Each structure stands twice: as structure tokens, then as C-alpha cells.
Amino acid sequence: MRLTVYLAGQIHDDWRREVKEKAESKGLPVDFVGPMDNHERSDNIGEEILGEQPNAIYKDEVASRMNNLRTQVLLEKSDIVLAFFGEKYKQFNTAMDAATAISIGKPLILIRPENLHHPLKELSQRANVTVENIDQALQTIQYIFDTE
Amino acid sequence: MRLTVYLAGQIHDDWRREVKEKAESKGLPVDFVGPMDNHERSDNIGEEILGEQPNAIYKDEVASRMNNLRTQVLLEKSDIVLAFFGEKYKQFNTAMDAATAISIGKPLILIRPENLHHPLKELSQRANVTVENIDQALQTIQYIFDTE
Amino acid sequence: MRLTVYLAGQIHDDWRREVKEKAESKGLPVDFVGPMDNHERSDNIGEEILGEQPNAIYKDEVASRMNNLRTQVLLEKSDIVLAFFGEKYKQFNTAMDAATAISIGKPLILIRPENLHHPLKELSQRANVTVENIDQALQTIQYIFDTE
Amino acid sequence: MRLTVYLAGQIHDDWRREVKEKAESKGLPVDFVGPMDNHERSDNIGEEILGEQPNAIYKDEVASRMNNLRTQVLLEKSDIVLAFFGEKYKQFNTAMDAATAISIGKPLILIRPENLHHPLKELSQRANVTVENIDQALQTIQYIFDTE
Amino acid sequence: MRLTVYLAGQIHDDWRREVKEKAESKGLPVDFVGPMDNHERSDNIGEEILGEQPNAIYKDEVASRMNNLRTQVLLEKSDIVLAFFGEKYKQFNTAMDAATAISIGKPLILIRPENLHHPLKELSQRANVTVENIDQALQTIQYIFDTE
Amino acid sequence: MRLTVYLAGQIHDDWRREVKEKAESKGLPVDFVGPMDNHERSDNIGEEILGEQPNAIYKDEVASRMNNLRTQVLLEKSDIVLAFFGEKYKQFNTAMDAATAISIGKPLILIRPENLHHPLKELSQRANVTVENIDQALQTIQYIFDTE
Amino acid sequence: MRLTVYLAGQIHDDWRREVKEKAESKGLPVDFVGPMDNHERSDNIGEEILGEQPNAIYKDEVASRMNNLRTQVLLEKSDIVLAFFGEKYKQFNTAMDAATAISIGKPLILIRPENLHHPLKELSQRANVTVENIDQALQTIQYIFDTE
Amino acid sequence: MRLTVYLAGQIHDDWRREVKEKAESKGLPVDFVGPMDNHERSDNIGEEILGEQPNAIYKDEVASRMNNLRTQVLLEKSDIVLAFFGEKYKQFNTAMDAATAISIGKPLILIRPENLHHPLKELSQRANVTVENIDQALQTIQYIFDTE
């Protein structure tokens, strides 16, 4: 049995690479999917395909359509959603993807720094598991496969 | 026909009162529900009912259980969700409630200041309607009832 | 028992008024809802609430958001959808609302002129009932209430 | 990961061949399914299997049953629906399949010529992505697979 | 609390009248709905509304569309389905309505003569309760309301 | 693409063998599943596993539990349900399985002799396709795979 | 707004009376429903309606059918499930009703003595709220209605 | 066709090993999944990953989150749930998993000793099949595959 894990979270640094490398070194039978994490391309994808838009809001509108299509297709293919909250950024998309996962019945693992425990308390309570770092998240996934 | 509207959003100021007063002055046939917006009580409700917890994280854990129960009951009773994003605060709960509304098929109206258009672009695209202030949101609800 | 009926179809003439008057004269215990059928207001509602948009496509985009919100709220409240196809206009929205009704389990009555039988054959087969005029549609609704 | 894409739209010309050839030349890991696009056979399939019917309407009735069965089976197998609107024809089936896709949670890409933006505005707003030609639609699908 | 009960079963005799009279004499807070049980009208309703059809099969086709619309609307309004099997007739519709009730989560009470236990064994096992006569069925409904 | 087809219907003769042989000779990429069609074993399976029961009704009760488990597992695995009605027998299970298929969204092909058109008219109308013999049913399935 | 609360739990003592009296004295706008809590009648209801059965297992089988019908009807009517675990008895039904509530999306409040925390830990984690006594449960329900 | 079977039940002895060995010796095309049945690890898994918790209740809280994540992922992957009740232990989790299986449409086979028939009667009635030992359960699964 292999599982597919959607990696929800910000696309400003390369935390997904760390997840993938550590999962590979542990030998986890897991395939990862996620949003486009080339930030610049994610922001420009609407205009890349549809051409220049009248203003910044409409540039965002068309980009978000492409990004939401991608998320909907890949989330549907996933067995687990891993949502990573960091110290910085608005991270509204992370919260949106995490809540969507809960609502459509996809198990959710939340990674968040301890000092975000208060603003994330309601989401954390609805998640299956909340941990503080990537290692703990991968141990949690490992536990699903363990037989003893 | 009356509609029930859930008011998702931060509980640091009294924006809900403004919504209710303006809706009443317009004569909208709408009932509003929402989270406990006495912020201090919302934070303390777990310990108020269950007694002191070992630390701040567990105090939050029990409070969030009470708050999530309330949200689940009232969201289920609602016909529309109105989610308000302001300039301040993390607002993860607002994003969570908005995404939950979309996922369970409740129509969603988003209020956000224009300068949040970029971090909220994916949520905004999935919402039914995005506006910039309370007056526009109430006009949008009014339009559902208008016959000409 | 009263039933709520959503009247899907074009908003270029006043066929809905005929439906309502005939239903009333038959004494049918039915409430009718439907889209904004003031055509000009339906087209302008986005700019009416959100202000001028950069071009005609974006004017349509914001209007359609308001119209789709209204349809989603009222369709959900309905027990039956009555979709009217006439000889003229593209009528894509009528087909969209009719297919939505089928997919979310709302019984569908289709009114179409006989000469549209070929292009509407697949939709007609999936509808509960297809008739050719408003009188037949109301007889069909009457039959649900008849006790002998 | 391969995706299955249902090609909804009229069956009067060979636009599906263009989609398939261009997808192949891009190396997209996609399988295409769709309606019977031999138009004459699609119209006659009811009588081909069940024999002559009393009149044109009933010939259409039995053909539409076969076509709707095919669509239901193949739509269920699909990950994405690509709906193509051209300048001509009633295209009620295209609107029906597109709305069905939305309602059952299949991501929808809409191709339509710019001059249809007004009559398709509500459907376009509910679609995930609206583009104007086949190349843009395939770029959109490509983006789901891109990793940078 | 009142409950609505759909009375599925053949329309050749007046068993529904017996159910209603006995329920009334017991003072059960129950409203009954069901198919058109004027058998002749049920068979003719398609032609009554749509005019003469080419042959008996198509007469049946149009009648069944009206009858299925009625059943879908009223079944959806029901809290319980009471399906009555007698000694005679094919009773395919009774089996169809009973299985539909189970599949859409409506509790099902089955009345059948003991000597039908074998051909109805699979349906009986999936029903909530199987009884042999109307009195037992009404006692079963009474039990839902009893407080001691 | 291969499809799985559940063969619902009576188990008194070997009509399923005819379906399978003809499908194989046509080269249809289809796998067939269905109920235990060794009639004696189907009737005895409850006592075979659980031992003798107090009477014929309870013998049937335990057998039907085993049969319903099998049907639920295999129906869930199927893409299409093919329900065969013959001239004889009560065939309540066939009607039950056909209605279950419709209700859970599995496309349904109905085979019935023409002279059953009246008692099966409502089920036939809700089916995707109704044919009169096995050859027509297999042509219908073939059509799903045809590309021209 | 009034809420309906299903009281799941053993029927050996009169804890439900305490719930109702305390809710009334608090003035909670809540209606309570639940299983037949006359234990002897609950055990005998199958034979009361259907007559004597061959043995104790089949007496239980028919009683459980009546009880499960009642639970299904009343659970569906409820907004919240309150499941009470005491120190004694197997309480499998309490666990079953609690898990059913979670699975069908009904918010769940669990009352359990502290010394059952270990065997109930997985159920408690999936519940919305876990408390130790009836007073706390009613405070939790009160909180849903509180406006400050 | 292979089936995946989730083995719900207590983790105090090695009944799952017996199931797997007997299934293998029968040549059943079945894959088994289930909870972590190293009891000590199951109890400690929360602290193993998240570190020491303030008290026994919170140790249980974090362990149950890991265990419930595992169950949710594996239950979703299963075609059948086999729930084993023994003479000892509270077995609330077994009842919870069995009721969850029923509610999400997974066929359920219950193994229980005859002397538990009374406290398990409602759950047993809702299960697909109830047997008394592992051999009977495997015969029941075997029957799904049998062709004569």
C-alpha cells in the first residue's frame, strides 16, 4: 500500500523539499503532491496562459483559477493532507486547504510552531493530529504503516 | 422567506453589531448567528466548564472544542456564510469557516479590504461573491430577495 | 403541504408572470422563486454593488457572481425546478440550472417547444417530465397534490 | 500520475482530434474520453439497437438514453471535464455536461470564443477556468503536472 | 413532533384507507402521502396531460414520468416509508420504492404476508422492520412516539 | 479501460452464462460479477455457515444476510448494473437491486420481455436504457467503448 | 431557535430525567428525544408486536429492529447527540450511537466518568466535547445560545 | 479481484494472527489492515512522537489522535470491516469502528460469542452478518468470491 500526501502550505521557502528528502531517507511508501511552489510562476500563471489582465486584482483572479484547479485535482487524489504553518506570512491558503481537507473527509496532519497554538486552536482541534515539526509529521505517517 | 446568515470573522471588535444594525435598518428578513464574540469568554469557555487545565495549550484545546461545537451547530442552520477579513490579526478561523462553508455547499460572501486581495485570491475565487465592505455585503443579500 | 418551485429560464419576456397567474387561478399551493428577471438589473448588478469594472468581461464576471449566489440560495430552498426553453436566445443558463437540478436531486420539469426536441433530447431524457407549454407543466404539478 | 479528461461539446466537427494530437505532441499524461462523435451514429444509436420507433421524438428518446448512459459511465471515470463551446449550434448538451461536472465535483475547464462571454457568464464563473482556445486549455492541464 | 409516512405499494385496492383510518383512531401524529391510487388515472396521466401517444409502451412511458415525479417529491418529504406487499400482482414498484427508501436513508417498514417470506427475504433483511399486517405496522410507528 | 458489470436477476436458469459467452465472443473489455447463482446454495448459505435455524423464516433471514453482504460488496465494485427480468418468478430482488443501482448512481440497463412493459414502466423510466434481450444489452455496452 | 438533542446511553436508571429537569430549570430552548427507556418494554417490543419468537436470540433480533427504527428516525431529527457513559454495563449501544452521530455529521457531546478516560479515549477525541457530568453538558449546550 | 478487510477489535491478544493464517491457508484473495495491535505502543504513540504530556488524560488524548488518524486512513481503503468482540474488555472502540463502518457504507461482519447476543443486539441487527467465530467469518468472506 502506498499513500498520496498533499503538502498544503506557503510557497516562500523549500520546506517541501525537506519533507520529501526525509520521507525518502525513511523509506516511506508515500507520493507527495502539492501546489506549484515556484512562487513567481504561481502568481503569474493566469497571465502566462490568458495574457495580460486589466489590473493586479484581475491578474490575481485568473492566477487563482489555475491554482485552485490544480489543488482540486490533486487534493482529490490524496489520502492525507499535511498542512504546514510557519511563523511568517498570512497563510490563508494553508488554512483554507486544511479546512477543505477536513470537510471532504481527508485526514489532516497540522504542523505549526508552538507559539501559534492560540490562533490555530480551533483548526488544530479539528485536525487529526497536530505536531510541531516535519520529523514528527513523518513519524505520524510512518505509524500508519507500522505493524508492531 | 427568511434566511439565516452565519457571521464568520474575528471577535476583536464589534463589526457584527454594525452588520445587524444596518440589516435591520434596511428591513432585511435575515437572522444572524455566529461565534461567541465576547473574546475573553471565548478563550476561557473550556476552563469555565471543565475547570483549570495543565497549561495554555490545553486551556486552548478545551476552549476550541466548545467553540467548534457551537460553530458546527450554527453553520448547519445557516443559509449563507458571511466571512469578514480585516487588516489585523491572523484570522485563521475566518479562513477555516469560509472554506468549510464552500465545502459543505453553503454560499459564501467574503468581505475583505482591497489590500488583502493577493493573499486571499484563491479563497476569493472560490467564494460566491467578494466585496470590500459591509454595505456591499448587505446589498448582495438584499439582491436575493429583490423582485425587480 | 406547500411546494417551492424554482423557475429557471430566460429573462427576456414575462413567462414567469403567466406561470404565477395560472397557478394562482388553479389554487395550487405553490411558492415560486427564480432569478432576477429584470434583465437590465441582472446584467448590471455587479457594477451596481461593486462599482465600474475594467471591461465588459469583468462587468459580466461580477454580475454573474451575484446571480449565481442568488440561484444557489433559492435552488437549495426549492422542491421542484421548472425549466422553460423558448424558441430564441442561447439559453445556456437554463440548461445549466436544469442539469444542476438533476445532479443535486431536485425533480425537474422541462417546458420546450416541440421543434427543440432534437437539441434537447439528452436533457429531456434526464428530466422527470418534458411538456410543451405552461398549462401542461402546471397540470403536472397539480397531479402531485391530487388525491383521486 | 495520469489523468482522464472528458471532452464535452458539440459533435459536428473534429475539435477533439485537435485536442488529442496537441496533447500527444506536448507529451501530456492524459487519457481522453467523450461522447460518440460520429454524429450520424449518435443520432441513430437508439434505432440501431432497439429498431424503428414511431416518430422522430421517440427516435430521439431512445438515442438519448444510449448517449446518456455512455456519458454517465465515462464522466464518472474522469478527473477533469473540458467543455468546448463554439460559435454555432445550440450546444445545450455542452452546458448540461459542464453543469453536471460542477455539481458532482469534477473540475471544469471551459473553452469559449470571447464573443460568447455574455451568455456564458454564469457558467464561466462557476467553472474552474475559462479559456478561449485549445492551446490555453492544454497549458492549463499541463500546469497541474508542472513541478517548477 | 409529527412524522410523514409514504405508503408504497399496489394501487388495486384500498389498503391505504385502512391504514389512515386505523392511524386516526389510534391518534397517531402522522401525515400520509403516497402515489396516485386511482389506478385508471395513474395509468392515463401521461396522455391526460400530453395527449395520445403512438402505442401502449409510449403511453406507459409518459405516465411513468408523471408518477415518478410525484414519488420523488413525496418520498423526499417523508420520514418513514411503509411498503405493503400483498398476495397478488407483480409489485415491482413496491420493491423499487422500498429499495429506494433504504438507499436514500429513509427508514423502511415492510408489510408482507408470511407466505411471501422467501421471495422477499433479502429485501426484508435490509428493511428496518418486517411485519405481517397493518395493525403491527401502526404499532411499530406508535412505538417511536411512546415515552414509557 | 475495462468496466465491471453486476448481473442482477433471478438465479433459476443460466442466463448469466449466455451474457458472459456472448460478451466474450464480442471481445468486450468487461468483467462480470453477480449474486451466487447456484440457487440451492444461495438458499442454504445461512445454515451452511451458521448451522440449523429454528424455522424456514429464520433460515431465510440468515441466508439473506450472506447474500446481501455479497451484493453490497460487488455492487460497490461495479460500473454498470445489468438487471434481467424474465417472464417468471417474483423477481423482487431484481427490482430491489435495480432501484439500489439507480439510487447510488450506478448506470442501469434493464432487460425485460415486451409484455412486462406495463408493470415495469416506472422502473424502466428511471433506468438509463431498457432493452428486450441480451444481444441488445451487449450492443448497448459495446457502444460505450466505440470510437466511431 | 430551538435545538433537538438525542440522549444516547443506557436505559437502566433515570439519568435522562435529570437532564430534562435541569435543562428546564435553566430555561434551555431544547427538546429531548431518545430511545425507549422503559428497559423491560425495550427488550420485549419485538414480541409485543410480532408475537413469541423461537428463542432468546430471535426475541432480541426483533426487538432490536424496532429499537433501531426508533433511533434512526429520532437521530435524523436531532441537532446534537448527548451520549452518556456510566460506570456500569456494556454500553455498546452508547458507543454505537455516538459513532453514528459523528459519521453522519451530528455534533456529539460525551459525558463519561473520569476513570473511563482510557477505554473511551479514541471516541472522546472524535467527539466535539467530552465532559464528566450532566451539569457540564448542559453548560456546553447553553454556550451555543449565549450572546455574550 | 482482491478485497481489503479492516480488522476492528481489541488489541490484547493475537486474534488477528489467527484470522490472517486461516485466510492464507484457505487461499482467500484478501489483504488485512487494522489498528496498531502492539498494545503498549498504541498507548504510548502520542508521547513517543510529541513528548511527555501533563497527565494520563492528555497522554491518552495525543495517543488517540495518532490511532484515529491510522484508523481513518485504513478504514477508507477497506472493502469490508470485520469487527471482533470477545468476552473481556470494554471494547468501546470495536463498537465505534463497527458503527462507523455501517454509517459510511462499508459492509460489516460481526464476530461475537453467543452470550453477548443481548448487549450487542442492536449493533448485530445493523451489521450485514453476525457470526460466532473466525472460521464462520472467513467462510462468509469466501462466499463473496465463490462462483458455484
Side-chain angles (χ1 to χ4, degrees):
Chain A
M1 189 178 63
R2 293 185 70 80
L3 296 175
T4 300
V5 178
Y6 186 90
L7 297 175
Q10 45 83 3
I11 57 175
H12 298 77
D13 62 38
D14 60 352
W15 67 271
R16 284 180 186 79
R17 191 170 51 74
E18 183 187 341
V19 171
K20 289 172 192 172
E21 286 173 4
K22 285 182 165 170
E24 191 171 15
S25 75
K26 288 172 77 86
L28 279 179
V30 168
D31 302 304
F32 294 101
V33 293
M36 166 55 61
D37 61 355
N38 176 332
H39 197 159
E40 193 181 352
R41 191 162 184 231
S42 170
D43 281 356
N44 293 331
I45 185 63
E47 294 196 335
E48 177 186 322
I49 296 179
L50 292 172
E52 198 176 355
Q53 300 300 309
N55 58 38
I57 289 186
Y58 282 115
K59 175 187 170 182
D60 275 0
E61 159 85 12
V62 290
S64 66
R65 286 180 165 269
M66 307 295 172
N67 289 324
N68 282 337
L69 170 69
R70 178 176 170 135
T71 299
Q72 186 176 340
V73 171
L74 297 180
L75 209 60
E76 181 63 30
K77 294 283 186 194
S78 301
D79 300 300
I80 297 174
V81 173
L82 182 57
F84 179 95
F85 283 88
E87 310 264 351
K88 292 185 294 185
Y89 316 115
K90 293 288 185 189
Q91 306 181 88
F92 295 137
N93 275 10
T94 318
M96 175 179 80
D97 290 348
T100 301
I102 294 167
S103 298
I104 65 174
K106 303 283 181 186
L108 174 67
I109 300 171
L110 210 66
I111 306 178
R112 58 117 183 79
E114 184 177 340
N115 62 5
L116 280 185
H117 79 82
H118 189 66
L120 279 171
K121 67 182 189 296
E122 274 80 21
L123 187 54
S124 173
Q125 193 271 319
R126 294 179 67 201
N128 288 64
V129 171
T130 298
V131 300
E132 291 181 17
N133 57 55
I134 288 173
D135 290 317
Q136 291 170 328
L138 293 176
Q139 281 179 275
T140 302
I141 294 174
Q142 175 69 62
Y143 180 64
I144 299 170
F145 295 100
D146 285 350
T147 54
E148 62 184 26
Chain B
M1 189 178 61
R2 292 186 70 79
L3 296 176
T4 300
V5 178
Y6 186 90
L7 297 175
Q10 46 82 4
I11 56 175
H12 298 77
D13 61 39
D14 59 352
W15 68 271
R16 284 180 186 79
R17 191 170 51 75
E18 184 186 342
V19 172
K20 289 172 193 171
E21 286 174 3
K22 286 182 164 170
E24 191 171 15
S25 75
K26 288 173 78 87
L28 279 179
V30 168
D31 302 303
F32 294 101
V33 293
M36 166 56 61
D37 60 357
N38 176 332
H39 196 160
E40 193 180 353
R41 193 164 182 229
S42 171
D43 281 357
N44 293 332
I45 184 64
E47 293 197 335
E48 176 186 322
I49 296 179
L50 293 172
E52 199 177 352
Q53 300 299 310
N55 59 39
I57 289 185
Y58 283 115
K59 176 188 171 182
D60 276 0
E61 159 84 13
V62 289
S64 65
R65 286 180 165 267
M66 307 295 172
N67 289 324
N68 283 337
L69 170 69
R70 178 177 170 135
T71 300
Q72 186 176 339
V73 172
L74 298 179
L75 209 60
E76 180 63 31
K77 294 282 186 195
S78 301
D79 300 300
I80 298 174
V81 173
L82 181 56
F84 180 96
F85 283 88
E87 309 264 350
K88 292 184 295 184
Y89 316 115
K90 292 289 185 189
Q91 306 181 89
F92 295 137
N93 275 10
T94 317
M96 175 179 80
D97 290 347
T100 301
I102 295 166
S103 299
I104 66 174
K106 303 282 180 187
L108 175 67
I109 299 171
L110 210 66
I111 306 177
R112 58 119 184 78
E114 184 177 341
N115 62 5
L116 280 186
H117 79 80
H118 188 65
L120 279 171
K121 67 182 188 297
E122 273 80 20
L123 187 54
S124 173
Q125 193 271 319
R126 294 179 67 201
N128 288 65
V129 171
T130 297
V131 300
E132 291 181 18
N133 58 55
I134 288 173
D135 290 319
Q136 292 170 329
L138 293 176
Q139 281 179 275
T140 303
I141 294 175
Q142 176 68 62
Y143 180 64
I144 299 171
F145 295 100
D146 285 351
T147 53
E148 62 185 24
Chain C
M1 188 178 64
R2 293 186 69 81
L3 297 175
T4 299
V5 178
Y6 186 90
L7 298 174
Q10 45 83 3
I11 56 175
H12 298 77
D13 61 39
D14 60 351
W15 67 271
R16 284 179 186 79
R17 193 172 49 77
E18 183 186 342
V19 171
K20 289 172 192 172
E21 285 173 4
K22 285 182 166 170
E24 192 171 14
S25 74
K26 289 172 78 85
L28 279 180
V30 168
D31 302 304
F32 294 102
V33 293
M36 166 55 61
D37 60 356
N38 175 332
H39 196 159
E40 194 180 353
R41 190 159 186 234
S42 171
D43 281 357
N44 294 333
I45 185 64
E47 294 196 334
E48 177 186 322
I49 296 179
L50 293 172
E52 198 176 353
Q53 300 300 309
N55 59 38
I57 290 185
Y58 283 115
K59 175 187 172 183
D60 275 0
E61 159 84 11
V62 288
S64 66
R65 286 180 164 267
M66 306 296 172
N67 289 324
N68 283 338
L69 170 69
R70 179 176 170 136
T71 299
Q72 186 177 340
V73 171
L74 297 180
L75 209 60
E76 180 62 32
K77 293 282 185 194
S78 301
D79 300 299
I80 297 174
V81 173
L82 181 57
F84 180 95
F85 283 89
E87 309 265 351
K88 293 184 294 185
Y89 316 115
K90 293 288 184 190
Q91 305 181 90
F92 295 138
N93 275 10
T94 318
M96 175 179 78
D97 290 347
T100 301
I102 295 167
S103 298
I104 66 173
K106 302 283 180 187
L108 175 67
I109 300 171
L110 210 67
I111 306 177
R112 59 116 184 80
E114 185 177 341
N115 62 5
L116 279 186
H117 80 80
H118 188 66
L120 278 171
K121 67 183 188 297
E122 273 80 20
L123 187 54
S124 173
Q125 193 272 319
R126 294 179 68 201
N128 287 64
V129 171
T130 298
V131 300
E132 291 182 17
N133 57 55
I134 288 173
D135 291 319
Q136 292 170 329
L138 292 176
Q139 282 179 274
T140 302
I141 293 174
Q142 176 68 63
Y143 180 63
I144 298 171
F145 295 100
D146 286 350
T147 55
E148 61 186 22
Chain D
M1 189 178 63
R2 292 185 71 80
L3 297 176
T4 300
V5 178
Y6 186 90
L7 298 175
Q10 46 83 3
I11 56 175
H12 297 78
D13 61 38
D14 60 353
W15 67 272
R16 285 180 186 78
R17 192 170 51 76
E18 183 186 342
V19 171
K20 290 172 191 171
E21 286 173 4
K22 286 182 165 170
E24 192 171 14
S25 74
K26 289 172 77 86
L28 278 179
V30 168
D31 302 303
F32 294 102
V33 293
M36 166 56 61
D37 61 356
N38 175 332
H39 197 160
E40 192 180 354
R41 189 159 185 234
S42 171
D43 281 355
N44 293 332
I45 185 64
E47 293 197 335
E48 176 186 321
I49 295 178
L50 292 172
E52 198 177 354
Q53 301 299 309
N55 58 38
I57 289 185
Y58 282 114
K59 175 186 171 182
D60 275 0
E61 160 84 13
V62 289
S64 67
R65 286 180 165 268
M66 307 294 173
N67 289 324
N68 283 336
L69 170 69
R70 177 175 170 136
T71 299
Q72 187 176 339
V73 171
L74 297 179
L75 209 59
E76 181 63 30
K77 293 283 186 194
S78 301
D79 300 299
I80 297 174
V81 172
L82 181 56
F84 180 96
F85 283 88
E87 310 263 351
K88 292 185 294 185
Y89 315 117
K90 293 289 186 189
Q91 306 182 90
F92 295 137
N93 275 10
T94 317
M96 175 179 79
D97 290 348
T100 301
I102 294 167
S103 298
I104 66 174
K106 302 283 182 188
L108 174 68
I109 299 171
L110 210 66
I111 306 177
R112 57 117 186 79
E114 185 178 340
N115 62 5
L116 280 186
H117 78 80
H118 188 67
L120 279 172
K121 68 181 187 299
E122 274 80 21
L123 187 53
S124 172
Q125 192 271 320
R126 295 179 67 201
N128 288 63
V129 171
T130 297
V131 300
E132 290 181 17
N133 58 54
I134 288 173
D135 291 318
Q136 292 170 329
L138 293 175
Q139 282 179 274
T140 302
I141 294 174
Q142 176 68 61
Y143 180 64
I144 300 171
F145 295 100
D146 285 350
T147 54
E148 62 186 22
Chain E
M1 189 178 63
R2 294 185 69 81
L3 297 176
T4 299
V5 179
Y6 186 89
L7 298 175
Q10 45 83 4
I11 56 175
H12 297 77
D13 62 39
D14 60 352
W15 68 271
R16 283 179 187 79
R17 192 171 50 77
E18 184 186 342
V19 171
K20 289 171 192 171
E21 286 173 4
K22 285 182 165 170
E24 191 172 15
S25 74
K26 289 172 78 86
L28 279 179
V30 168
D31 302 304
F32 294 102
V33 293
M36 166 55 61
D37 62 355
N38 175 334
H39 196 159
E40 192 179 353
R41 190 159 185 235
S42 170
D43 282 356
N44 293 333
I45 184 64
E47 294 197 333
E48 177 185 321
I49 295 178
L50 292 172
E52 199 176 354
Q53 300 299 310
N55 59 37
I57 288 186
Y58 282 114
K59 175 187 172 183
D60 275 0
E61 160 82 12
V62 289
S64 67
R65 285 180 165 269
M66 307 296 173
N67 289 322
N68 283 338
L69 170 69
R70 177 175 171 136
T71 299
Q72 186 176 340
V73 171
L74 297 180
L75 209 60
E76 181 62 32
K77 294 281 186 195
S78 300
D79 300 299
I80 298 175
V81 173
L82 182 57
F84 180 95
F85 283 88
E87 310 265 350
K88 292 186 293 186
Y89 315 115
K90 293 289 186 190
Q91 305 182 89
F92 294 138
N93 276 9
T94 318
M96 175 179 79
D97 290 347
T100 301
I102 295 167
S103 298
I104 65 174
K106 303 283 181 186
L108 175 67
I109 300 171
L110 210 67
I111 306 177
R112 58 116 183 80
E114 185 178 341
N115 62 5
L116 279 186
H117 80 79
H118 188 66
L120 279 171
K121 66 183 188 297
E122 274 80 20
L123 188 53
S124 173
Q125 194 271 320
R126 295 179 67 201
N128 288 64
V129 171
T130 298
V131 299
E132 291 182 17
N133 57 55
I134 288 172
D135 290 319
Q136 292 171 328
L138 293 176
Q139 282 180 275
T140 302
I141 294 173
Q142 176 68 63
Y143 180 64
I144 299 170
F145 295 100
D146 285 350
T147 53
E148 62 185 24
Chain F
M1 189 179 63
R2 293 186 69 81
L3 296 176
T4 300
V5 178
Y6 186 90
L7 298 174
Q10 46 83 3
I11 57 175
H12 297 78
D13 62 38
D14 60 351
W15 68 271
R16 284 179 187 79
R17 193 172 49 77
E18 183 185 343
V19 172
K20 289 172 192 171
E21 285 173 5
K22 285 181 165 170
E24 192 171 14
S25 75
K26 289 172 78 86
L28 279 179
V30 168
D31 301 303
F32 294 102
V33 293
M36 166 56 61
D37 62 355
N38 176 332
H39 196 160
E40 193 181 353
R41 191 160 184 232
S42 170
D43 282 356
N44 293 332
I45 184 63
E47 294 197 334
E48 177 186 320
I49 295 179
L50 292 172
E52 197 175 355
Q53 301 299 310
N55 59 38
I57 289 185
Y58 282 114
K59 176 187 171 183
D60 275 1
E61 159 84 12
V62 289
S64 66
R65 285 180 166 269
M66 306 296 173
N67 289 324
N68 283 338
L69 170 68
R70 178 176 170 137
T71 299
Q72 187 177 339
V73 171
L74 298 179
L75 209 60
E76 181 61 31
K77 293 282 186 195
S78 300
D79 300 299
I80 298 174
V81 172
L82 181 57
F84 179 95
F85 283 89
E87 310 264 351
K88 293 185 295 185
Y89 316 114
K90 293 289 184 188
Q91 305 182 92
F92 294 138
N93 275 10
T94 318
M96 175 179 79
D97 290 347
T100 301
I102 295 167
S103 298
I104 65 174
K106 302 284 181 186
L108 175 68
I109 300 171
L110 210 66
I111 307 177
R112 59 117 185 78
E114 184 178 341
N115 62 6
L116 278 186
H117 79 80
H118 188 66
L120 279 171
K121 67 182 188 296
E122 273 81 21
L123 187 54
S124 172
Q125 193 271 320
R126 294 179 68 203
N128 288 64
V129 171
T130 298
V131 300
E132 290 181 18
N133 58 53
I134 288 172
D135 290 319
Q136 292 170 329
L138 293 175
Q139 282 179 275
T140 302
I141 294 174
Q142 176 69 63
Y143 180 64
I144 300 170
F145 295 100
D146 285 350
T147 54
E148 62 186 23
Chain G
M1 190 178 61
R2 293 185 69 80
L3 297 176
T4 299
V5 178
Y6 186 90
L7 298 175
Q10 45 84 4
I11 56 175
H12 297 78
D13 61 38
D14 60 351
W15 69 271
R16 283 179 187 79
R17 191 171 52 75
E18 185 187 342
V19 171
K20 289 171 192 171
E21 286 173 5
K22 284 181 166 172
E24 191 171 15
S25 74
K26 288 172 79 85
L28 279 179
V30 168
D31 302 303
F32 294 101
V33 293
M36 166 55 61
D37 62 355
N38 176 333
H39 197 160
E40 193 180 352
R41 192 162 182 232
S42 171
D43 282 356
N44 293 332
I45 186 63
E47 293 197 334
E48 178 186 321
I49 295 178
L50 293 172
E52 199 176 353
Q53 300 299 310
N55 58 38
I57 290 185
Y58 283 115
K59 175 187 171 182
D60 276 0
E61 159 85 13
V62 289
S64 66
R65 286 181 165 268
M66 306 297 172
N67 289 324
N68 283 338
L69 170 69
R70 177 176 171 136
T71 300
Q72 186 176 340
V73 171
L74 297 179
L75 209 59
E76 181 62 31
K77 293 282 186 195
S78 301
D79 300 299
I80 298 174
V81 173
L82 181 57
F84 180 95
F85 284 89
E87 310 264 349
K88 293 185 293 185
Y89 316 116
K90 293 289 185 189
Q91 306 182 88
F92 294 138
N93 275 10
T94 317
M96 175 178 80
D97 290 348
T100 301
I102 295 167
S103 298
I104 66 175
K106 302 283 181 187
L108 174 68
I109 300 171
L110 210 67
I111 306 177
R112 59 116 184 80
E114 185 178 340
N115 62 4
L116 280 186
H117 79 80
H118 188 66
L120 279 171
K121 68 182 187 297
E122 273 80 20
L123 187 54
S124 173
Q125 193 271 319
R126 295 179 68 201
N128 288 63
V129 171
T130 298
V131 299
E132 291 182 18
N133 58 55
I134 288 173
D135 291 319
Q136 292 170 328
L138 293 176
Q139 283 179 273
T140 301
I141 294 174
Q142 176 68 63
Y143 180 64
I144 300 171
F145 295 100
D146 285 350
T147 54
E148 62 185 25
Chain H
M1 190 179 63
R2 293 186 69 81
L3 297 175
T4 300
V5 178
Y6 186 90
L7 298 175
Q10 45 83 4
I11 56 174
H12 298 77
D13 61 38
D14 60 352
W15 68 272
R16 285 181 185 77
R17 192 172 49 76
E18 184 186 340
V19 171
K20 289 172 191 170
E21 286 174 3
K22 285 183 165 170
E24 190 171 15
S25 74
K26 289 172 78 87
L28 278 179
V30 168
D31 301 304
F32 294 101
V33 293
M36 166 55 61
D37 62 354
N38 175 331
H39 196 159
E40 195 181 351
R41 193 163 181 230
S42 170
D43 281 356
N44 294 332
I45 185 64
E47 294 196 335
E48 177 186 321
I49 296 178
L50 293 172
E52 198 176 354
Q53 300 299 311
N55 59 38
I57 290 185
Y58 283 115
K59 176 187 171 183
D60 275 0
E61 160 83 12
V62 289
S64 66
R65 286 180 165 269
M66 307 295 173
N67 289 324
N68 283 337
L69 170 69
R70 178 176 170 135
T71 300
Q72 186 177 339
V73 171
L74 297 180
L75 209 60
E76 181 63 32
K77 292 283 186 194
S78 301
D79 300 300
I80 297 174
V81 172
L82 181 57
F84 180 95
F85 284 89
E87 309 263 350
K88 292 186 295 185
Y89 316 113
K90 293 288 185 189
Q91 305 181 91
F92 295 138
N93 275 11
T94 318
M96 175 179 79
D97 290 348
T100 301
I102 295 166
S103 299
I104 65 174
K106 302 284 181 186
L108 175 67
I109 300 171
L110 210 65
I111 307 177
R112 59 115 183 81
E114 184 178 340
N115 62 6
L116 279 186
H117 78 81
H118 188 66
L120 279 172
K121 67 182 188 297
E122 274 79 20
L123 187 53
S124 173
Q125 193 272 319
R126 294 179 67 201
N128 288 64
V129 171
T130 298
V131 300
E132 291 181 16
N133 57 55
I134 288 173
D135 291 318
Q136 292 170 328
L138 293 175
Q139 282 179 275
T140 301
I141 294 174
Q142 176 68 63
Y143 180 64
I144 298 170
F145 296 100
D146 286 349
T147 53
E148 62 185 24

